Amino acid sequence: MTEIKKIRRAAGEITVPGDKSISHRAVMLGAIADGTTKITGFLKGADCLSTIDCFRAMGIDIEVTDDVITVHGKGLYGLKKPEKMLYTGNSGTTTRLLCGLLSGQEFDTDITGDASICRRPMKRVTQPLSLMGADIENEYCPLHIKGRKLSGITYDMTVASAQVKTALILAALYADGETIINEIEKSRDHTELMLGAMGADIEVNGLTIRIGKTDRLTAQDIAVPGDISSAAFFLVLGAVMPDSDIVIRNVGMNPTRTGIIDVLLDMGADLEIFNERVATGEPVADIRVRSSKLHGVKIGGAIIPRLIDELPVIATAALFAEGETVITDAQELKVKETDRIKAVTDEFAKCGADITPTDDGMVIVGKKPLKGADFKTYGDHRMAMSLTILAQLADGKSTLDDAECVSVSYPEFFEDFYGLDN
Ligand code: S3P
C-alpha cells in the first residue's frame, strides 16, 4: 500500500513519455521492414518492452540504449518460429496485433499474457481473421495460432477498435488479393500512417481502408511523440487544481486521439496549444493548462474512440465540474485492463463522489465534498494515475494498493507528478 502524497500546486514544465500505440507499431513494423529502423522517444513502459521481447523471440535483433531503439528488420518473411510461448504481459495491443501479424506466417505460435490479458476477449480479432483463412484456437489466452495462407476480405467492423483494425491490416499484408475494412467510427490511425510511409499498398478514404498484398516495407526512422493519453493526467490536474500552470512539451496531436482536448475545452478548461509541428507524419504540439472553472458535459458517439483511454481521468475532471457529466457509448470500457466502468464508479464512490454506472458509461454530478480513501487500482495503470489526481483534492489521506502498475505506460509518473510541486 502506498500513500498518495499531496502537492500544494502544480506548476512547471514536463515532457511525457512516448506514445504507447506508436511505440508498439514502430517495433512491429520495423521488424518486418527491410533495413534498420531507429526509434527515438520510444516508450520504455512494460507493455512496449513486452513487444520487444516477443520480436526478439522471433529472431529480430533489437538494440536498446538510453535514447534510441534500433530494430534490424528482416523483411515481411523474416520472422522465425519462437522456441517457446510468446508472453505479452499486460499488453492488449501486443496480443491482438500479433494475432493479425502471425496468422499468415509459415509457422505456428502460442501466445499468452498476465491474468488481465487472459480475461480479455480475443474473439473480436480471431473471428474476423478466420474469415481471411486464419486458424486461431481459443477465444482467450493462451492462443494457438496456426500459420495459414490468407485471402483478402471485405469486412464491416462491429466494434470501434484500432487493435482489431490493425490486426486485420497486418494480416492483409500477407493475404492474396485486396482487403477492404470499413470502420464504424474512426479509431487511431497510426498503423495506416506508418505503413503508408514504409511503402505498403494501403489507401484510406474516410472510414474505409484498402490494403493490398505487400512485397516489401522500407524501414523509416521514427520519432515517437509524447503520449496524449499520459499528458491527459496533467491536463486534468492543471485544470482542477487551484493556482496551477503546467506546460506539457511534445504531445502527439493526431486527430484520432485528441478527444480529451475537445472535451476539456467544452468543459471550460484554460488550454493553450502552441508550437504545432509534424514529426514523422504525426502532428505534435506543446500544451499549456491553467486552473479552470469546469462545468459538466455530455460525452458520447463518434468522439468515444478518440478518448477511450482517457475516460477514467475525464471522469476525475467531472468530479470537480459544476453540474452533471454524462458519458454514453463507452461500453468498450468494460473490456480494458479492467472493467473501467465498474472500477471507476466503485473507487470514486468510496470517497463520497456522486457517480452512477450505466450500461455504456456513467453519470457524475460534480462538486461534492470528497474524502480520502484506500483505493484499489485493479492492476490498471490508468486507474492508478486517475486516482492520484482525485486524491489531491480529497480531504485527508489516500492510498493506492498497487502504485507500481503505472510502469505499464508511464514508469516515471510519480517523479513527474511530484516534480510539479513548485
Ligand atoms: C490501442 C487501441 C485501443 C486503446 C489501447 C491501445 C492501440 O484499444 O484502448 O490502449 O494501440 O491500437 P481498442 O482498439 O481495443 O479500443
Side-chain angles (χ1 to χ4, degrees), residues 99-384:
C99 287
L101 180 59
L102 298 177
S103 286
Q105 302 293 331
E106 282 165 1
F107 52 81
D108 295 2
T109 343
D110 294 285
I111 306 187
T112 198
D114 69 5
S116 154
I117 276 297
C118 292
R119 285 192 299 266
R120 296 184 68 181
M122 295 299 151
K123 193 172 173 190
R124 53 180 49 211
V125 284
T126 59
Q127 192 274 332
L129 285 170
S130 73
L131 303 174
M132 301 176 80
D135 188 348
I136 304 180
E137 273 172 23
N138 299 336
E139 288 178 14
Y140 292 89
C141 279
L143 302 174
H144 179 64
I145 305 172
K146 296 182 187 160
R148 291 279 185 258
K149 274 197 93 47
L150 305 179
S151 329
I153 52 166
T154 295
Y155 184 68
D156 294 335
M157 292 192 51
T158 55
V159 279
S161 161
Q163 292 179 354
V164 175
K165 172 178 68 172
T166 302
L168 292 170
I169 293 175
L170 294 177
L173 297 173
Y174 295 87
D176 284 334
E178 264 186 3
T179 297
I180 311 279
I181 302 167
N182 296 310
E183 292 196 81
I184 39 175
E185 303 285 8
K186 183 90 176 164
S187 64
R188 66 194 69 195
D189 62 358
H190 309 298
T191 311
E192 295 89 310
L193 292 175
M194 217 180 270
L195 278 175
M198 290 176 152
D201 180 13
I202 184 164
E203 222 181 299
V204 181
N205 193 349
L207 294 175
T208 300
I209 304 145
R210 186 197 60 78
I211 312 106
K213 187 167 184 170
T214 297
D215 298 328
R216 186 189 149 87
L217 299 175
T218 307
Q220 299 277 310
D221 288 345
I222 296 167
V224 180
D227 199 328
I228 192 166
S229 300
S230 297
F233 301 102
F234 295 101
L235 292 173
V236 170
L237 174 73
V240 301
M241 206 131 166
D243 200 23
S244 290
D245 187 351
I246 309 173
V247 172
I248 314 168
R249 300 280 182 206
N250 195 37
V251 182
M253 296 290 281
N254 181 313
T256 62
R257 300 285 298 282
T258 47
I260 174 129
I261 306 273
D262 297 357
V263 164
L264 286 176
L265 287 172
D266 201 19
M267 293 176 93
D270 179 356
L271 297 184
E272 195 189 324
I273 297 164
F274 57 106
N275 278 342
E276 290 179 70
R277 54 210 186 267
V278 175
T280 33
E282 292 277 349
V284 175
D286 298 341
I287 309 176
R288 180 175 187 184
V289 56
R290 280 174 282 195
S291 310
S292 319
K293 263 176 91 69
L294 301 182
H295 52 81
V297 289
K298 291 201 181 340
I299 306 167
I303 200 169
I304 294 294
R306 297 179 53 231
L307 48 64
I308 188 73
D309 290 339
E310 290 66 76
L311 284 169
V313 78
I314 289 173
T316 310
L319 297 176
F320 305 103
E322 195 66 54
E324 194 178 70
T325 294
V326 183
I327 300 171
T328 53
D329 304 315
Q331 54 281 357
E332 278 295 297
L333 287 177
K334 292 182 183 166
V335 290
K336 293 297 173 189
E337 283 79 336
T338 187
D339 175 345
R340 286 185 177 154
I341 294 182
K342 185 166 167 38
V344 167
T345 53
D346 284 358
E347 296 311 300
F348 287 18
K350 271 185 187 170
C351 54
D354 183 342
I355 185 164
T356 312
T358 61
D359 258 1
D360 64 350
M362 57 194 84
V363 178
I364 301 149
V365 181
K367 296 270 183 200
K368 301 287 171 194
L370 301 177
K371 54 184 185 325
D374 292 327
F375 291 121
K376 273 173 67 173
T377 63
Y378 307 87
D380 181 342
H381 52 133
R382 301 201 200 280
M383 284 299 295

